[in-house]
Amino acid sequence: MYQFKVNTTLVAEFVLLGFQNLHGLQCLIFLLVLMMYCMTICGNLMIISLVSYSKNLQSPMYFFLTQLSLSDILLTTDIVPNMLRIVLHGVTTISFKGCITQFYFFSFSECLQCLLLTVMSYDRYLAICKPLSYISVMNSMLCLILIIMSWLLSISISLINTVSLGSLQFCGPNIIDHFFCDYTPLIKLSCSDTFIVKLEVTLLSFPVIVFPFLMITVSYARIILVILRIPSVNGRQKAFSTCSSHLTVVFTYYITLISMYGLPARGPSLYSSKVTSLLYTMAIPLFNPIIYSLRNKDMKVALLKAIDSSMECYSNMF
């Protein structure tokens, strides 16, 4: 039985409780999580490979999609390996430095996803609302600038948040009722004054969460107005199909993000917060490549061509 370390000694490690009362299903859940992790890595690597080698996918939208896949890979790789250890052993420990490092990469990938989804919504806005100027505006240089800015802003904001969180004192207790080192459970364990850190995190959330969400909302409001003005039903369906995959990803991502961090915390909601965390750390990175593959005609064509090419190479070998 783990005991709280209630003294003046600074905490050197944290205890992650993970999932309690699995009732002997550890092996089954371990295999399920491992399978989902492998599918997530393979699905996102597939998107990166298809976009890199298929001539039909050399457009800004798919270039941004590869960056989103990289973000998904980073997020799941940061969380899932340690989660597998928790599922197998029930309770596990993580060093203070390891916990802060895990939080940094988690924060970075979340910030990057918010910014990438915003860039992708701007791309869809130009493609549908400004089709005549799309090619000249969304050129390769602008695409590169938008991606570099998204990465640099995510790195900077995550670093500021992590340094501020890591500078707090943790003198006990050292038990985190979660499966990874998230901001909320960590800030609750600190014995320092956390007002400045909370204020800092709130202010820094505006450039990566609030403003991007407003930009996405405005972009899709204009997109919907333009689509509704298209006289033919086929024209409206074709226009909407170009952004339906991205809109689905945006909707699921922000619903989970708002439900996790935007709603007031309640005492009995620990279990629901873990379930919500599972959604945006495992389910969404798994579903993103599925959504973009199954709902996108160009992606399906590129995938079929890649399969045919692989089968042809395999048959030529024998």
Side-chain angles (χ1 to χ4, degrees):
M1 185 72 178
Y2 289 92
Q3 300 294 326
F4 288 164
K5 300 180 180 180
V6 187
N7 50 46
T8 57
T9 305
L10 296 182
V11 170
E13 64 180 18
F14 293 101
V15 178
L16 292 170
L17 296 184
F19 308 95
Q20 305 296 306
N21 304 320
L22 294 180
H23 304 293
L25 298 175
Q26 288 90 341
C27 292
L28 179 61
I29 295 176
F30 176 87
L31 292 175
L32 179 63
V33 172
L34 180 61
M35 182 180 67
M36 291 179 65
Y37 176 62
C38 293
M39 290 173 62
T40 300
I41 298 299
C42 292
N44 284 287
L45 286 177
M46 178 196 71
I47 286 181
I48 295 172
S49 301
L50 288 177
V51 174
S52 300
Y53 294 105
S54 176
K55 294 181 180 179
N56 296 330
L57 301 180
Q58 300 302 311
S59 67
M61 179 179 69
Y62 297 112
F63 173 63
F64 298 142
L65 182 57
T66 60
Q67 303 300 305
L68 188 66
S69 293
L70 284 174
S71 177
D72 286 335
I73 291 173
L74 177 62
L75 176 61
T76 53
T77 303
D78 179 48
I79 302 296
V80 176
N82 196 53
M83 186 199 303
L84 290 171
R85 191 167 60 130
I86 294 174
V87 170
L88 210 55
H89 300 287
V91 176
T92 190
T93 60
I94 183 171
S95 67
F96 177 82
K97 291 182 178 179
C99 190
I100 296 299
T101 301
Q102 185 184 58
F103 171 76
Y104 171 76
F105 284 106
F106 166 74
S107 174
F108 166 72
S109 60
E110 290 294 301
C111 291
L112 184 59
Q113 288 216 3
C114 288
L115 296 176
L116 288 175
L117 290 174
T118 307
V119 169
M120 293 172 75
S121 69
Y122 177 65
D123 174 78
R124 292 299 84 203
Y125 163 75
L126 288 178
I128 296 175
C129 301
K130 309 283 184 180
L132 297 179
S133 59
Y134 174 73
I135 296 177
S136 60
V137 174
M138 191 57 73
N139 52 48
S140 57
M141 181 58 69
L142 179 60
C143 292
L144 189 60
I145 290 173
L146 290 173
I147 291 302
I148 291 175
M149 288 178 60
S150 298
W151 278 78
L152 290 179
L153 188 59
S154 300
I155 291 172
S156 303
I157 290 179
S158 302
L159 187 61
I160 293 172
N161 288 338
T162 305
V163 170
S164 299
L165 188 63
S167 64
L168 297 175
Q169 289 188 338
F170 296 87
C171 15
N174 68 331
I175 296 180
I176 300 176
D177 192 6
H178 213 318
F179 58 88
F180 73 101
C181 295
D182 201 358
Y183 166 77
T184 302
L186 277 175
I187 206 76
K188 288 180 179 179
L189 294 181
S190 175
C191 53
S192 304
D193 183 6
T194 59
F195 174 77
I196 298 298
V197 176
K198 289 179 180 179
L199 179 62
E200 188 177 80
V201 170
T202 302
L203 293 176
L204 290 175
S205 69
F206 278 84
V208 292
I209 297 178
V210 179
F211 292 154
F213 180 72
L214 292 176
M215 289 181 64
I216 292 173
T217 303
V218 171
S219 297
Y220 272 103
R222 294 188 176 184
I223 288 172
I224 292 172
L225 289 176
V226 170
I227 291 177
L228 291 177
R229 293 195 189 107
I230 299 175
S232 66
V233 176
N234 290 334
R236 289 196 295 267
Q237 290 177 345
K238 185 177 179 181
F240 183 74
S241 66
T242 62
C243 60
S244 59
S245 299
H246 178 252
L247 186 59
T248 303
V249 171
V250 168
F251 180 78
T252 54
Y253 179 77
Y254 272 98
I255 284 295
T256 55
L257 197 66
I258 291 172
S259 63
M260 186 65 194
Y261 299 106
L263 298 179
R266 288 186 286 269
S269 62
L270 275 175
Y271 177 79
S272 61
S273 69
K274 291 181 184 180
V275 173
T276 307
S277 297
L278 281 173
L279 285 176
Y280 67 77
T281 57
M282 287 195 63
I284 290 179
L286 172 63
F287 291 146
N288 280 354
I290 296 175
I291 292 171
Y292 278 106
S293 299
L294 296 181
R295 297 178 64 109
N296 189 288
K297 182 180 178 181
D298 294 335
M299 191 70 72
K300 286 190 285 188
V301 170
L303 179 59
L304 290 175
K305 285 184 178 179
I307 293 174
D308 291 340
S309 178
S310 300
M311 294 297 293
E312 184 179 346
C313 292
Y314 180 78
S315 59
N316 291 335
M317 291 175 60
F318 299 96

